[in-house]
Amino acid sequence: PSPTPTPTATSTSTSTSTPTPVPTPAPSPPTDAKSWGKKIFDAKSNNDYEEARVLYEELLSSGIKPNSATFAVMMIIFSVQKDYHSLVAAYLKAKDYEYTFNAMTYALVITAYNKIGDWRSAEDILKEMVAIEVRPTLAVFNSLLSTYNNHKKEELAMFLFQNMESVGVPPDVFTYNTVFQILSKQQRIGEITKLWKKMESVGIKPNAETYSSMITTLDNFGRPQECVRYWEQMKRQGIVPNVTILKSMLKAFCKLRNEPQIDALRKKMSDLGVTLSSDTYNAILSFYANNNDRVKLEATWDEMLKNGISPSTQKYSTLLQIHFENGNFDEVKVIWSKMREEKIEPTLQIYQYVIQVFAAEEVPEYGLIREILREAREKNADLSLELFCQLLCIFAQKQDVVTIIEIQKQMRENGFVADRKTYQSLAKMFFDLSHFDALDDLWAEIKLVDKCDVVTYNIMLEAYSNQGLFDRAEATWNEMKERDDFDPNIGTYNILLELFNKQDQISGPPSENQGSPEEERQKEESGPLLRRMEAKGMLSDVVTYNLLLDKYARRDDVKSVQEVWEEMAKKGVEPTLVSFNILIRMYAKLYDEENVEKIVKDIKSRGLEMDKITYTSLLGIFAHGRKIAEAESLWREIQSKNIEPDLVMYTLMVLVYKPLPKHKEIRIGPDLASYTIMMFVHSKLCQRDTAESFFWELKDRGFVPDAAAYAVLINMYINSDLLEEAKWLWIEMREVNAELSSGIFKLGIHLFTILKDDDSVQRLERELADMRTSREKEREANAQTIIGAVHQLWTEVKEKRIKVDIRLCNEILHVLSRVHVKSAEDFWYKLEKFGSEGGREAVVVNHYSYVVMMSMYSKSGQMENVLSLWQQMKEEGLTPDPVHYNILLDAYGRQGEINKVTALWHDIKNGTFPTLDTYSTVLSLYTKFWKEDLAYEVLGEIREKGISSSHHYDLMIEMLGKLNKVDEAERLFSEMKASGVQPTTVTYNNLMSIYARKHDLESVQRLWKDLQEQK
């Protein structure tokens, strides 16, 4: 507002009038992010956090994009106010704007996620910092360590701690405190001691929290002397102990029976107003009880009740002990009555004291004693035979072998013999623990005291079966059949069937005509066994049928599996998931996708949930067929069911992305290429009707014409001036064939140029120009997709700390090598690094690893790298095998260095025994480079060894055709048939092509007729 004008000296007005004040307009809100940020910062500087929050909300609603500094300030405010949800919301909003922050701010975010219970998001912050190259500070590591500790992720915390210094961030006392807390909870006293020494060696001084972790751990481990040592060290450093330390030291002094220190600490804690905990009172009561100090014992007891701490079983036991040992039996009865009133559970020791007290009465109260004994038996505290047997059963369930041996010793001293139920429990325990020597000893004892029954016999049968002791199992079965006091049950027969299955696996698959002696023996045994079960009405148990299914499925006996399955349906035996898994495993092994799909539908229709075994089999069949979409869908389903994939499942998932191996189909009879050749030769001889008839015939035979077949007719129509027919055939070809070669494109351009269709010509020219670029882009996009998928699987394996093996690594290497050389190289270097470092993650590259890398470099023309790996493999002590030699031969061939191929071929023959693949590789290279003499030399060696095949003759005939040596090709063809090697479709096509190029219709028709007659 304008200032009030001052009256002048000449003013004649006698009245003074007060001017009307002009109202102060409200300050307009800021119009830009920087101004808003300044206002919020000023409010924060004045500690006016609520004003800052109001301004922040106004800024968000104003539509103005806050800057990163504003978000950072607000996160500090939310941290001070402990409003962690708002802090996380501010961070996520800033992240939406793609803002990044300094390490201090990220530390606040990690702490916030810790407080709201989201440890995974806290972990992701560290990953984000690494990704954007913000170096984590000590505060970040401490925040994340605290998060892991609070959420019981001890392994992750220790891994983070162990790697801090490797990234240049040394720990401080707060770091060590968190680590000590983790190790203390895990009772890893040795590691705490080592870290303590390391902490002191680097000059980090422990504080009260550090001493608290150490002293508490030592107290839990029963090391009171060491507690005192750290206690004295803490006092010398002037550190004030916290309540936890005081309580731990009080218990330690009780164990050391240091009464002056106990009294001093109790007084100090009383002055501080610290109430003792229940376990602390237990220690004090035990101390006074052991000292027979009844006065202080009762005073402490009263103090405990006054402080509102209810007596526990241990406290009553301590009090009972002192009265019992002092002969105050009346006091024992009083305490017993109080325990009954307060419903305190007695211990074994209490039962012993009470029973002895009541038994010591002049007139024993037998009714009361029987009641206590009955109660003791129910609670496993009776020292009678029944109690011993019950205790044995209980400890057998707990698999506490040491205690059981001690109880058995006491029983023998008392002349007790266990009952059948007890022996069953002991036998089952030794079986579950695989303590077969102890089980044999027990079995001898059971037979000695004649406590055998069907349960113990079954356990012994199964134990011998698991150990592969089939003769002993057979002897036990024969012994069991001779007994007349009990009969085998269905469990017995199931064990025997499983035994036969195991024998079946050991003896191997059956021969075609006659089974092995072991198999014939099984037929003799399992046949009567099944008839015996059927006679007893026991062939209705799904476990039995599962064993039968498994027996036949392991031998790929589909017919027998189907018969068992039909019998189950006929008898109304409902299959379980185990039954379906057996079927899926068999059909997956046989790559029978149709039956696998039917079984999966059946599983779902019955409301059963597929398990890890089911999913592994399904992944296996998808991996075999390289069905990426189906496998990825199944993988998402596995993750949604919270099934934790194992190494096998990850390996199968990687295999999905591996290219299918190229297998050349050995066909007998005309194929698409054969028809194309016939069309070609007739078109060249202007026999249009005949050429067309072959085109329609190939369609009738179920073949889909490719671009080459269409091109033959289109070219014929153009030469015959049938341009409209050529045009319509071109259109049909484009509908059927998506990808065309450059030659086919040029044929189309030629056609539409004659038709004067400029638009089509220009379109085809553009397609031809874009063809290579688009295909390259498509290949690159596909490669990146596969690389991303494989890297994601590898990352999951590492994050889950699954112990990897070389097979998984080799499969990943193979997949990457087929799509991206650089990615394969990077992974190869990782494998070498793991191998040199050793430890849990160590994998050592093997022969197959070198095969993958050498093959990749060979195909990419990097001869220098092929030779480098060859040398490296030898230096590492790996002897090259025929596969490596074949790759090296192929690499030389791709470089056109045929002389080096020959030199290496001679080295191979002089040094190792060439395999069939080696002969085939060398012959292929010689025929490729038209080295006729060398090729004949190799073919001669192949024939001498009796390993010649149609493929070898095909290579030779194809080469002779290119050399225009028709008669020689025909001679070799005749020789091939005379030697008993059946020509294939490829052989006929090669010869027909030679004659077709010479327009020798008679020879082509002769071969065509011969090809059609082939079986």
Side-chain angles (χ1 to χ4, degrees):
S2 303
T4 305
T6 306
T8 61
T10 58
S11 176
T12 57
S13 176
T14 56
S15 62
T16 59
S17 61
T18 304
T20 305
V22 179
T24 303
S28 59
T31 58
D32 60 273
K34 185 176 181 181
S35 302
W36 276 106
K38 185 177 184 308
K39 290 192 70 172
I40 292 171
F41 181 80
D42 290 341
K44 184 254 181 187
S45 299
N46 294 328
N47 294 330
D48 193 349
Y49 296 145
E50 292 305 318
E51 175 65 14
R53 292 183 71 137
V54 170
L55 291 170
Y56 175 70
E57 293 299 327
E58 289 177 2
L59 169 58
L60 293 180
S61 62
S62 70
I64 297 172
K65 177 183 175 182
N67 57 31
S68 60
T70 303
F71 280 115
V73 169
M74 288 310 302
M75 282 190 270
I76 293 171
I77 291 172
F78 292 139
S79 176
V80 172
Q81 293 185 319
K82 298 183 179 180
D83 187 352
Y84 300 113
H85 286 281
S86 296
L87 193 155
V88 169
Y91 163 72
L92 293 175
K93 199 163 194 65
K95 192 175 180 182
D96 290 340
Y97 291 129
E98 299 184 351
Y99 287 147
T100 60
F101 301 99
N102 58 24
M104 183 195 79
T105 307
Y106 281 120
L108 294 178
V109 179
I110 291 173
T111 301
Y113 275 126
N114 177 20
K115 296 298 184 181
I116 66 176
D118 188 353
W119 69 271
R120 289 191 183 275
S121 294
E123 187 180 58
D124 289 340
I125 297 297
L126 182 59
K127 296 177 183 177
E128 181 182 332
M129 293 176 69
V130 173
I132 62 176
E133 299 183 351
V134 174
R135 182 181 176 186
T137 62
L138 181 59
V140 171
F141 278 105
N142 282 344
S143 297
L144 191 52
L145 272 172
S146 177
T147 302
Y148 283 146
N149 181 30
N150 291 343
H151 295 278
K152 298 181 180 179
K153 303 296 174 184
E154 291 86 0
E155 287 188 14
L156 292 174
M158 294 307 298
F159 180 80
L160 186 68
F161 170 70
Q162 290 160 5
N163 286 276
M164 283 177 64
E165 292 189 21
S166 65
V167 295
V169 181
D172 65 358
V173 68
F174 298 101
T175 316
Y176 280 106
N177 285 347
T178 305
V179 173
F180 285 154
Q181 288 176 18
I182 294 168
L183 296 175
S184 177
K185 285 187 283 188
Q186 296 177 339
Q187 297 190 350
R188 292 156 68 179
I189 184 65
E191 292 182 49
I192 294 178
T193 305
K194 288 179 184 177
L195 281 179
W196 187 282
K197 292 177 180 177
K198 181 179 178 182
M199 178 183 70
E200 289 182 325
S201 69
V202 296
I204 297 175
K205 294 184 178 180
N207 58 19
E209 188 177 349
T210 324
Y211 278 106
S212 178
S213 297
M214 175 59 87
I215 291 173
T216 302
T217 306
L218 290 170
D219 174 52
N220 292 336
F221 263 77
R223 298 185 182 180
Q225 292 285 5
E226 293 182 53
C227 288
V228 174
R229 181 165 62 84
Y230 282 99
W231 167 260
E232 296 298 334
Q233 181 180 322
M234 182 186 70
K235 289 200 296 184
R236 285 195 300 270
Q237 293 177 1
I239 297 173
V240 178
N242 57 29
V243 174
T244 305
I245 294 174
L246 292 173
K247 290 180 179 179
S248 296
M249 287 309 303
L250 186 55
K251 289 189 285 182
F253 286 127
C254 285
K255 291 172 185 174
L256 292 171
R257 307 186 71 147
N258 190 331
E259 191 165 2
Q261 287 285 5
I262 294 172
D263 293 339
L265 272 182
R266 289 191 68 182
K267 183 177 185 310
K268 183 172 185 176
M269 293 172 76
S270 176
D271 294 340
L272 293 172
V274 176
T275 302
L276 300 182
S277 59
S278 180
D279 60 338
T280 314
Y281 273 116
N282 282 346
I284 298 170
L285 289 170
S286 296
F287 168 72
Y288 290 137
N290 291 329
N291 271 9
N292 292 324
D293 192 338
R294 183 174 180 180
V295 175
K296 288 189 176 180
L297 176 68
E298 292 180 349
T300 304
W301 182 273
D302 294 336
E303 176 187 324
M304 179 186 71
L305 297 176
K306 183 180 177 182
N307 288 330
I309 297 177
S310 301
S312 63
T313 303
Q314 184 177 352
K315 295 182 182 66
Y316 272 119
S317 180
T318 303
L319 201 60
L320 256 169
Q321 177 186 355
I322 191 169
H323 287 306
F324 179 83
E325 290 176 353
N326 289 330
N328 302 320
F329 289 173
D330 291 336
E331 292 290 341
V332 170
K333 292 179 183 178
V334 171
I335 294 170
W336 172 255
S337 298
K338 286 182 180 178
M339 290 181 67
R340 308 302 280 175
E341 290 172 6
E342 296 173 13
K343 298 182 179 179
I344 301 293
E345 287 289 336
T347 62
L348 172 61
Q349 191 178 42
I350 290 174
Y351 278 122
Q352 290 174 329
Y353 291 150
V354 172
I355 290 172
Q356 290 181 63
V357 165
F358 285 111
E361 295 281 335
E362 289 184 4
V363 181
E365 298 183 39
Y366 292 111
L368 183 59
I369 293 173
R370 280 195 298 272
E371 181 182 341
I372 297 172
L373 283 173
R374 180 185 58 78
E375 181 180 326
R377 281 195 297 272
E378 292 172 358
K379 297 174 182 177
N380 309 310
D382 186 7
L383 298 180
S384 63
L385 171 62
E386 291 80 11
L387 173 63
F388 277 126
C389 290
Q390 201 167 7
L391 284 174
L392 282 173
C393 292
I394 294 295
F395 287 115
Q397 290 176 356
K398 294 181 180 179
Q399 298 183 340
D400 188 346
V401 179
V402 175
T403 306
I404 283 172
I405 292 172
E406 181 60 32
I407 292 174
Q408 285 180 310
K409 180 182 176 183
Q410 293 180 29
M411 288 180 68
R412 281 191 285 271
E413 289 174 353
N414 287 278
F416 290 147
V417 176
D419 56 20
R420 281 191 169 88
K421 182 180 177 182
T422 307
Y423 279 122
Q424 290 172 12
S425 298
L426 293 176
K428 185 177 184 307
M429 179 200 69
F430 286 130
F431 173 80
D432 291 341
L433 292 172
S434 300
H435 288 354
F436 295 121
D437 290 340
L439 183 59
D440 280 341
D441 293 341
L442 183 70
W443 179 237
E445 181 182 329
I446 291 171
K447 291 201 286 187
L448 182 65
V449 298
D450 196 21
K451 296 289 184 179
C452 306
D453 61 4
V454 67
V455 176
T456 46
Y457 266 107
N458 286 352
I459 291 171
M460 295 311 299
L461 279 171
E462 193 167 4
Y464 293 141
S465 173
N466 286 358
Q467 296 174 84
L469 302 174
F470 301 129
D471 291 340
R472 294 184 69 176
E474 184 179 359
T476 304
W477 165 239
N478 291 332
E479 180 185 310
M480 186 178 184
K481 287 189 293 185
E482 293 174 0
R483 296 187 68 103
D484 54 7
D485 51 343
F486 58 82
D487 290 324
N489 60 17
I490 193 166
T492 314
Y493 292 110
N494 286 343
I495 292 166
L496 289 170
L497 283 173
E498 190 171 0
L499 172 68
F500 295 144
N501 281 0
K502 289 178 181 177
Q503 289 176 302
D504 195 12
Q505 293 171 47
I506 292 171
S507 62
S511 60
E512 291 184 6
N513 300 319
Q514 188 174 3
S516 64
E518 184 66 28
E519 182 190 347
E520 295 302 316
R521 176 169 167 269
Q522 288 169 38
K523 287 180 180 176
E524 293 174 5
E525 290 184 350
S526 59
L529 182 68
L530 290 171
R531 286 195 295 273
R532 190 170 180 176
M533 292 178 69
E534 193 167 14
K536 291 177 176 290
M538 291 182 178
L539 268 181
S540 59
D541 176 53
V542 69
V543 176
T544 308
Y545 280 107
N546 285 347
L547 289 167
L548 287 171
L549 287 171
D550 186 60
K551 175 184 178 68
Y552 297 124
R554 289 183 183 278
R555 301 169 63 188
D556 299 334
D557 187 349
V558 178
K559 183 181 177 183
S560 297
V561 166
Q562 289 172 343
E563 288 174 355
V564 173
W565 192 262
E566 288 168 5
E567 186 180 337
M568 287 174 68
K570 194 183 297 182
K571 293 193 175 181
V573 178
E574 192 71 21
T576 63
L577 183 61
V578 174
S579 318
F580 287 112
N581 280 344
I582 292 168
L583 264 64
I584 287 179
R585 186 189 65 211
M586 179 186 73
Y587 286 123
K589 189 168 63 171
L590 298 171
Y591 308 124
D592 187 343
E593 295 184 36
E594 184 179 350
N595 271 312
V596 168
E597 189 176 341
K598 288 180 182 177
I599 295 168
V600 170
K601 287 181 180 177
D602 199 357
I603 290 173
K604 292 179 178 178
S605 68
R606 294 171 185 264
L608 297 173
E609 284 288 336
M610 294 191 292
D611 63 5
K612 200 170 190 175
I613 298 172
T614 323
Y615 283 115
T616 301
S617 297
L618 293 177
L619 275 178
I621 202 165
F622 289 148
H624 175 261
R626 308 301 195 260
K627 297 193 172 183
I628 295 177
E630 292 86 341
E632 288 179 341
S633 174
L634 187 70
W635 192 257
R636 288 191 292 272
E637 184 179 332
I638 290 169
Q639 292 176 321
S640 69
K641 298 282 182 67
N642 291 325
I643 294 174
E644 199 66 38
D646 57 16
L647 184 64
V648 174
M649 298 176 81
Y650 276 107
T651 304
L652 290 173
M653 198 60 200
V654 170
L655 273 172
V656 169
Y657 299 103
K658 187 176 177 180
L660 277 170
K662 293 181 180 179
H663 295 297
K664 288 188 177 180
E665 181 183 7
I666 300 176
R667 185 181 177 87
I668 304 297
D671 64 359
L672 181 58
S674 311
Y675 279 101
T676 305
I677 293 168
M678 295 303 294
M679 289 162 56
F680 172 79
V681 70
H682 286 289
S683 71
K684 289 300 179 184
L685 295 173
C686 299
Q687 297 177 359
R688 181 163 59 86
D689 291 342
T690 308
E692 287 176 339
S693 69
F694 275 107
F695 183 74
W696 300 118
E697 184 182 332
L698 76 87
K699 282 188 170 183
D700 292 339
R701 290 284 301 274
F703 293 109
V704 178
D706 60 7
Y710 278 104
V712 170
L713 287 187
I714 292 171
N715 201 44
M716 181 182 71
Y717 287 144
I718 292 173
N719 293 334
S720 303
D721 204 24
L722 298 173
L723 301 180
E724 283 301 316
E725 285 84 345
K727 176 182 175 182
W728 287 112
L729 202 59
W730 174 269
I731 293 170
E732 180 184 323
M733 179 188 69
R734 293 306 305 269
E735 291 174 353
V736 175
N737 294 278
E739 291 191 5
L740 305 179
S741 66
S742 59
I744 304 293
F745 269 111
K746 290 174 182 177
L747 176 64
I749 292 169
H750 174 60
L751 169 63
F752 287 106
T753 301
I754 297 172
L755 290 169
K756 297 181 180 180
D757 186 346
D758 294 338
D759 291 340
S760 295
V761 170
Q762 290 174 5
R763 186 180 69 254
L764 287 175
E765 286 176 341
R766 284 195 303 271
E767 283 188 58
L768 179 58
D770 295 341
M771 180 180 66
R772 289 183 179 177
T773 306
S774 61
R775 286 181 183 176
E776 185 61 35
K777 286 182 179 177
E778 185 179 345
R779 277 195 295 270
E780 180 62 26
N782 183 53
Q784 291 304 319
T785 301
I786 291 175
I787 291 168
V790 171
H791 279 178
Q792 175 61 31
L793 291 169
W794 175 251
T795 301
E796 287 182 23
V797 169
K798 302 298 287 180
E799 287 179 347
K800 293 176 181 179
R801 295 179 174 273
I802 296 173
K803 184 174 175 58
V804 298
D805 62 5
I806 190 59
R807 187 194 171 196
L808 172 63
C809 297
N810 280 343
E811 297 300 353
I812 292 174
L813 194 64
H814 196 154
V815 171
L816 296 176
S817 72
R818 299 299 292 270
V819 295
H820 198 257
V821 173
K822 181 64 170 60
S823 296
E825 287 177 333
D826 290 343
F827 193 74
W828 172 261
Y829 297 142
K830 284 183 182 178
L831 292 186
E832 289 185 318
K833 180 173 181 289
F834 288 151
S836 62
E837 289 180 353
R840 177 182 172 82
E841 305 298 339
V843 288
V844 180
V845 294
N846 60 10
H847 283 81
Y848 184 68
S849 315
Y850 281 99
V851 166
V852 172
M853 292 302 290
M854 288 174 65
S855 179
M856 178 188 74
Y857 285 133
S858 172
K859 290 173 183 176
S860 60
Q862 300 183 46
M863 190 68 205
E864 184 180 344
N865 287 333
V866 174
L867 294 173
S868 174
L869 285 175
W870 177 269
Q871 186 61 33
Q872 180 181 329
M873 181 173 62
K874 289 182 175 181
E875 290 172 357
E876 291 182 0
L878 295 175
T879 304
D881 61 20
V883 180
H884 299 102
Y885 278 104
N886 293 348
I887 294 171
L888 192 55
L889 286 166
D890 179 69
Y892 282 133
R894 289 175 184 270
Q895 297 293 313
E897 297 181 6
I898 202 67
N899 291 333
K900 291 187 177 180
V901 169
T902 302
L904 182 59
W905 171 235
H906 288 307
D907 289 343
I908 292 171
K909 289 194 292 182
N910 293 331
T912 61
F913 183 77
T915 64
L916 177 60
D917 284 342
T918 314
Y919 278 109
S920 300
T921 301
V922 174
L923 183 62
S924 174
L925 292 171
Y926 284 154
T927 56
K928 177 182 176 182
F929 289 97
W930 300 357
K931 299 296 181 181
E932 185 179 354
D933 293 340
L934 292 172
Y936 268 115
E937 183 184 324
V938 175
L939 182 63
E941 292 181 30
I942 292 173
R943 285 187 299 206
E944 284 177 11
K945 293 182 179 296
I947 56 174
S948 57
S949 69
S950 61
H951 173 62
H952 302 128
Y953 285 97
D954 292 342
L955 291 171
M956 293 295 295
I957 291 170
E958 184 180 7
M959 177 191 69
L960 293 170
K962 292 175 181 177
L963 292 171
N964 205 22
K965 294 188 176 183
V966 182
D967 293 339
E968 183 65 20
E970 189 72 52
R971 184 195 66 75
L972 198 61
F973 179 62
S974 299
E975 180 187 307
M976 174 184 181
K977 291 191 289 184
S979 65
V981 178
Q982 183 175 9
T984 65
T985 302
V986 174
T987 317
Y988 281 100
N989 287 349
N990 284 337
L991 269 175
M992 287 165 60
S993 296
I994 295 171
Y995 287 117
R997 288 195 293 271
K998 289 183 170 293
H999 302 173
D1000 185 347
L1001 180 60
E1002 183 181 351
S1003 296
V1004 171
Q1005 288 178 329
R1006 171 176 57 81
L1007 291 166
W1008 172 259
K1009 183 180 178 182
D1010 195 9
L1011 175 60
Q1012 288 181 308
E1013 292 174 355
Q1014 291 296 308
K1015 301 295 183 183

